Structures are given as structure tokens and as C-alpha cells.
Amino acid sequence: MKFLSSALLSLTLASATAVAQDCAIPDTPDLPDGGSSTMEQMLEGQKTVKAFQEAATKYRECLDVKIAEATDAATADEATDADIAALRALEQQYNTSVSSEEALAEEFNTQIRTFKSVNPG
């Protein structure tokens, strides 16, 4: 029985990933090194971060639709464990996207502070 449950969970997680496949998660960009970059490179890095944030927002908007559909399935009278697991997997993908965006913004702010300390005034 445990094997069947494990197999079902694996299949469910794969299904949730497949459901979200048409939602394209953006690649996390490389950031300029604040200790050695020029002002132009830092400004280009800022544009890259903003573009990533816009793409991440579009990704989450796409997931919102999938999450709404999965919520309907998971809260229906005939909901299965697979429906609930699919919803949880989509919610995890959404949360991971938010965390990734926050981490990128934090790292870029660190590089800006480093740039300012190396290039005062």
C-alpha cells in the first residue's frame, strides 16, 4: 500500500508540474559585481532585475489561473488526494517564485551598496 501511495504522489507531482508547464518560469539573471562593475553595468543590471520581476509577475499570473482551477478540483465533493497534492504543488511553485524574486532583489541591493562603497560620491 505504501508503494501505491508513493507512486500516486509521484504521479501527482509530475501532473502538477505538467499542468504548470505552459506557465514559463523565468531564469534568474546574473547580477553585476558591485565591487568591480561600472555604472553602466550596474544600470544594465537594474534593467535586468526589473525585466525578471516583470516576467516573474506574469508567471505568477499564469499560475493564479492554474491554482484557481486546482482549488476548484481540490475542494469539489469528489476531490481526490491527487487533486489536493496538485494544488499544493502549484502553490509551492508560486511561493518559490516569490522567494526567488525577493532573493534576487536583496542580492542586487547588496551589490548596489558594494558599488557605492567602492565608488563614493
Side-chain angles (χ1 to χ4, degrees):
M1 186 67 173
K2 284 186 178 184
F3 173 75
L4 183 58
S5 294
S6 295
L8 181 60
L9 181 59
S10 295
L11 181 60
T12 299
L13 293 176
S15 297
T17 301
V19 167
Q21 279 182 337
D22 58 338
C23 299
I25 187 167
D27 292 328
T28 304
D30 293 328
L31 296 176
D33 178 355
S36 61
S37 294
T38 65
M39 174 62 88
E40 292 78 22
Q41 290 169 322
M42 293 301 291
L43 291 173
E44 189 60 36
Q46 181 182 32
K47 289 178 189 175
T48 300
V49 169
K50 286 182 181 184
F52 173 79
Q53 290 172 321
E54 289 173 13
T57 297
K58 287 181 181 177
Y59 170 69
R60 288 191 299 273
E61 288 170 352
C62 180
L63 284 180
D64 282 338
V65 173
K66 302 296 182 190
I67 289 170
E69 293 168 356
T71 298
D72 289 345
T75 57
D77 290 339
E78 65 276 358
T80 65
D81 288 343
D83 293 328
I84 295 167
L87 173 60
R88 297 294 173 249
L90 288 166
E91 290 171 335
Q92 181 61 40
Q93 290 172 339
Y94 187 100
N95 293 338
T96 298
S97 172
V98 171
S99 296
S100 176
E101 185 178 350
E102 289 171 347
L104 181 71
E106 184 177 319
E107 178 58 28
F108 186 63
N109 287 332
T110 297
Q111 295 306 320
I112 290 172
R113 285 190 294 277
T114 300
F115 178 81
K116 288 181 177 183
S117 72
V118 173
N119 300 286

